[in-house]
Amino acid sequence: MNPAGEPGRYAGMGTVYPETEGMVLRETEAEEIRQRLETISREIRKDVVRMIGLAGSGHPGGSLSCVEILACLYFYKMRHRPEEPGWPLRDRFVLSKGHAAPALYAALAWCGYFDRDELWSLRRLGSMLQGHPDRLRTPGVEISTGSLGQGLSAACGMAIGLRLDKLPCRVYALIGDGESQEGGIWEAAMLAAHQGLDNLTAILDNNGLQIDGQCCEVVDLGDLPAKWRSFGWEVQEVDGHDVLDICRALDRAEEASGPSMIIAHTVKGKGVSFMENNVDFHGKAPTREEMERALQELEGA
Amino acid sequence: MAGWELRHTRDGYADALLELGERDPRIVVLDADLAKSTQTEKFKLRFPERFVDCGVAEQNLMAAAAGLAATGKIVFASTFAIFATGRAYDQVRNTIAYSNLDVKICASHGGITVGEDGSSHQALEDIALMRAVPRMKVVVPADYYEAREAVKTVAYLEGPAYVRLGRPKAPVLFGDDYRFRFGKAHLMRSGKDVTVIACGYLVHKALEAAEELAGEGIEAEVLNLHTIKPLDRQGILESVSRTGRVVTCEEHTVIGGLGGAVAELLAEEMPLPMRMVGVRDSFGVSGEAEELVEHFGLSARHIAEAARALCDLAP
């Protein structure tokens, strides 16, 4: 499973991210970075399928759609120290769409926040990996989420707090499109713009599906780029499965004069043929047979 | 109300914030367009960089407060009690308390004494809501000094806390040297016949009731239960084991508040005759604060009646 042949550390992923201190993409290194981020994405994806398959419950669709985003954050953009989760100068990440926890847990495990063997205890009694993120149980989780529409507000609070302390840290928040039906998202959007939070980047996992069907059929979100722009955010749109596209957007977001939104166009269930764009896999675990089939597909990818 | 010096509990909060802000740079205050009412405006004027007005967006206020606390700040989040605990309940439960963050929710305009604004602004369920949230501490100060000292104390208790403040001026019961003992019922008057347990604006009503009862030969013990969670089990049991009777008083529904907390304790540990003075499963109405206290049966007269009825029961 582990390209390094040993559990835990990300070290086996190469030397591009020696201190996970964050970086800016140099075009001469682009191809190497792309390969590494795609490799780690494939590993995270396999972990997500296996975790949810073994747990027998969970949210594969929205976990698989945000894999590249998480890989680019944790293995490219963010400055963080897995061996020192409380490092004061770390960048912060908030998984506002908390049901994608399996993808976050896999990324954290590959970073080395905890042993990868923990992944297979997801959702079990006594596990450090709850169904939705719990900051008190899981190293690397900055704030507990799960009830939608609250993480972006919390990220605003973090950005204000870090700015008060004049720390150079950035805050990243990943929100969902279905989640954007929550009013709290737009309360936070207003506050972030009003406060001029140029240390805040939000990424929207725009996979187009929610539990009851297509977002545009449940309650249409309308023109999301226009909405975010009108709320005072700088907006970029990317292919949410193109790691270099994401990396470049994350780099550019740092130049924004206020809060920055990256709308990532993604595919729900990405990477597993029978889960892609299949709303049934929003909150349903694969059977054991489906899990094996999905892992075979991902191995061959 | 004759004979009492009157001061706002929310002024005690504001003065505590100034003192805290002066000596501790970690103190940050958030409000939701009610700074003039909650009195956080005093902090805002003194420490503008550490004050954030979130606008009319209480849910965002609470979740943002959690995020700020996650960066090591001690965050005071203020709005009216009805919005802090009702409108933003989910944020308080899931983002603040579940994360065990240092957010101190100091809400003004708790209870029926909000008065003329009427039911939509009268929080009668806030204590019940906050008491049910794991890790949440619940404090209801009775006067200016208790509010001031309670706020300074909860600032340095680990994790979330809810402090309920009032709208009207409340009788001053304590002095500048008042020492707030978090989690300890405060004995206001000793007696052997009945224990009257009150909080907030009804503490002085309980004292007045005890005075009235004394004239009839009934000696009421009055406890000011400023900390409703964690409950001072030992202090309450010690008192009621001597008196054998208990009356609870609160400007809150009798469901799940101070009375509920005491009833839960006594039902398990020491069942004995009890009466609850509080709002009886009803919404509030518009009126003057003292009129409403009378209307909803929360006055000294009503407390005395409840105590008398218990004392008339065969021992």
Side-chain angles (χ1 to χ4, degrees):
Chain A
M1 292 300 294
N2 187 329
E6 56 189 86
R9 314 293 300 186
Y10 61 90
M13 305 306 292
T15 54
V16 171
Y17 323 98
E19 299 293 332
T20 57
E21 294 276 322
M23 60 187 300
V24 173
L25 192 138
R26 292 185 196 87
E27 290 306 323
T28 52
E29 296 165 351
E31 183 53 26
E32 190 189 356
I33 289 169
R34 185 184 64 75
Q35 280 181 21
R36 292 184 192 285
L37 290 175
E38 285 179 354
T39 301
I40 189 68
S41 295
R42 189 161 60 246
E43 295 304 323
I44 291 173
R45 219 164 237 125
K46 285 191 288 189
D47 285 352
V48 164
V49 168
R50 188 179 294 272
M51 288 163 80
I52 298 175
L54 292 176
S57 69
H59 299 82
S63 298
L64 292 171
S65 64
C66 66
V67 165
E68 280 79 11
I69 298 164
L70 289 170
C72 292
L73 285 168
Y74 278 96
F75 293 90
Y76 169 75
K77 189 73 257 176
M78 292 202 311
R79 294 182 305 168
H80 62 121
R81 290 181 178 171
E83 70 284 4
E84 189 188 355
W87 181 42
L89 293 180
R90 71 194 183 279
D91 291 332
R92 268 67 165 182
F93 174 73
V94 177
L95 184 67
S96 196
K97 46 169 284 182
H99 54 282
L104 173 63
Y105 296 155
L108 290 173
W110 279 106
C111 288
Y113 280 91
F114 49 82
D115 198 288
R116 277 189 66 248
D117 287 343
E118 296 287 344
L119 296 179
W120 323 128
S121 71
L122 174 73
R123 288 174 168 249
R124 301 234 180 271
L125 183 63
S127 173
M128 68 152 69
L129 304 179
Q130 297 292 294
H132 294 80
D134 177 351
R135 76 185 282 268
L136 302 181
R137 285 190 169 88
T138 311
V141 169
E142 298 285 353
I143 196 156
S144 305
T145 52
S147 181
L148 294 174
Q150 303 183 24
L152 188 60
S153 298
C156 288
M158 289 180 190
I160 293 168
L162 295 168
R163 186 175 67 179
L164 267 177
D165 290 338
K166 300 183 168 52
L167 294 174
C169 320
R170 293 192 64 79
V171 181
Y172 295 92
L174 178 61
I175 68 174
D177 46 9
E179 181 186 17
S180 301
Q181 289 160 353
E182 291 277 8
I185 290 290
W186 305 100
E187 293 184 4
M190 268 187 281
L191 181 70
H194 180 80
Q195 288 282 328
L197 299 178
D198 59 6
N199 56 349
L200 173 65
T201 300
I203 303 108
L204 172 63
D205 180 2
N206 194 14
N207 61 38
L209 291 178
Q210 58 189 110
I211 301 177
D212 280 352
Q214 293 185 58
C215 297
C216 61
E217 287 178 353
V218 177
V219 170
D220 196 351
L221 292 154
D223 187 343
L224 282 168
K227 277 196 168 77
W228 282 96
R229 279 192 191 96
S230 74
F231 271 75
W233 288 55
E234 293 200 15
V235 177
Q236 303 178 70
E237 291 186 73
V238 301
D239 175 343
H241 301 300
D242 181 330
V243 292
L244 291 182
D245 212 11
I246 298 167
C247 288
R248 291 187 180 107
L250 289 170
D251 287 349
R252 279 194 295 269
E254 296 186 61
E255 309 304 320
S257 58
S260 188
M261 164 56 74
I262 298 171
I263 296 176
H265 298 291
T266 58
V267 174
K268 197 148 184 166
K270 175 72 177 179
V272 178
S273 61
F274 56 91
M275 291 186 182
E276 286 193 2
N277 286 318
N278 181 351
V279 76
D280 291 342
F281 279 100
H282 171 91
K284 188 186 77 168
T287 63
R288 192 55 68 105
E289 183 271 328
E290 286 169 334
M291 179 182 90
E292 294 302 339
R293 196 144 50 92
L295 288 171
Q296 278 175 14
E297 280 188 21
L298 291 165
E299 287 290 356
Chain B
M1 298 296 285
W4 296 104
E5 182 198 347
L6 302 174
R7 290 186 80 174
H8 285 115
T9 51
R10 44 193 164 125
D11 282 341
Y13 169 47
D15 289 346
L17 281 184
L18 291 179
E19 196 177 323
L20 289 166
E22 202 69 61
R23 67 165 188 248
D24 192 337
R26 293 174 299 169
I27 303 292
V28 177
V29 178
L30 269 57
D31 207 305
D33 196 38
L34 287 171
K36 290 184 177 70
S37 292
T38 62
Q39 297 301 319
T40 59
E41 188 166 68
K42 289 176 185 152
F43 184 92
K44 171 189 174 181
L45 294 172
R46 179 85 65 88
F47 308 103
E49 72 289 350
R50 282 191 272 149
F51 177 87
V52 179
D53 199 326
C54 295
V56 190
E58 295 80 11
Q59 300 169 68
N60 189 39
L61 165 87
M62 291 302 171
L68 260 158
T71 65
K73 304 299 178 193
I74 299 169
V75 185
F76 285 86
S78 285
T79 176
F80 287 174
I82 190 103
F83 310 131
T85 64
R87 183 61 168 259
Y89 177 79
D90 192 21
Q91 282 76 5
V92 170
R93 179 192 186 274
N94 280 318
T95 302
I96 295 174
Y98 187 46
S99 291
N100 197 31
L101 290 163
D102 282 332
V103 178
K104 319 302 173 181
I105 302 161
C106 293
S108 70
H109 293 59
I112 197 74
T113 55
V114 163
E116 293 81 349
D117 275 353
S119 180
S120 64
H121 284 56
Q122 291 160 336
L124 301 180
E125 310 86 24
D126 56 322
I127 298 171
L129 285 166
M130 292 297 97
R131 202 166 72 78
V133 175
R135 297 182 185 133
M136 185 63 71
K137 295 162 275 289
V138 178
V139 176
V140 184
D143 82 343
Y144 167 88
Y145 292 106
E146 191 163 78
R148 191 184 73 184
E149 298 307 307
V151 166
K152 290 193 291 193
T153 300
V154 301
Y156 295 103
L157 297 174
E158 191 210 349
Y162 176 65
V163 179
R164 186 204 221 202
L165 306 163
R167 185 190 74 89
K169 288 181 177 175
V172 172
L173 306 173
F174 308 110
D176 203 36
D177 59 349
Y178 175 66
R179 182 162 158 260
F180 175 76
R181 295 174 70 214
F182 175 77
K184 293 288 174 202
H186 182 229
L187 179 66
M188 303 288 289
R189 179 182 176 122
S190 296
K192 62 175 176 46
D193 297 323
V194 57
T195 300
V196 180
I197 305 177
C199 67
Y201 191 76
L202 293 200
V203 173
H204 79 278
K205 303 291 184 206
L207 291 169
E208 289 174 351
E211 195 63 34
E212 184 181 325
L213 291 165
E216 305 163 18
I218 296 173
E219 294 180 30
E221 180 148 298
V222 178
L223 296 181
N224 165 23
L225 195 69
H226 49 63
T227 307
I228 295 175
K229 188 183 173 191
L231 193 66
D232 182 4
R233 299 168 63 93
Q234 202 184 348
I236 293 168
L237 291 174
E238 192 279 320
S239 175
V240 301
S241 67
R242 281 187 288 99
T243 63
R245 305 173 183 92
V246 61
V247 177
T248 58
C249 325
E250 59 198 312
E251 52 161 333
H252 181 275
T253 172
V254 293
I255 301 168
L258 176 152
V262 171
E264 288 160 18
L265 170 69
L266 297 184
E268 280 194 339
E269 301 293 337
M270 200 179 286
L272 44 70
M274 177 173 178
R275 290 284 183 279
M276 292 185 192
V277 171
V279 176
R280 293 276 161 181
D281 194 21
S282 138
F283 288 106
V285 292
S286 290
E288 289 176 16
E290 279 293 318
E291 279 181 339
L292 294 174
V293 166
E294 185 65 31
H295 178 80
F296 283 96
L298 315 176
S299 70
R301 177 172 65 83
H302 293 100
I303 296 167
E305 271 173 21
R308 211 176 281 123
L310 284 178
C311 291
D312 285 347
L313 294 174

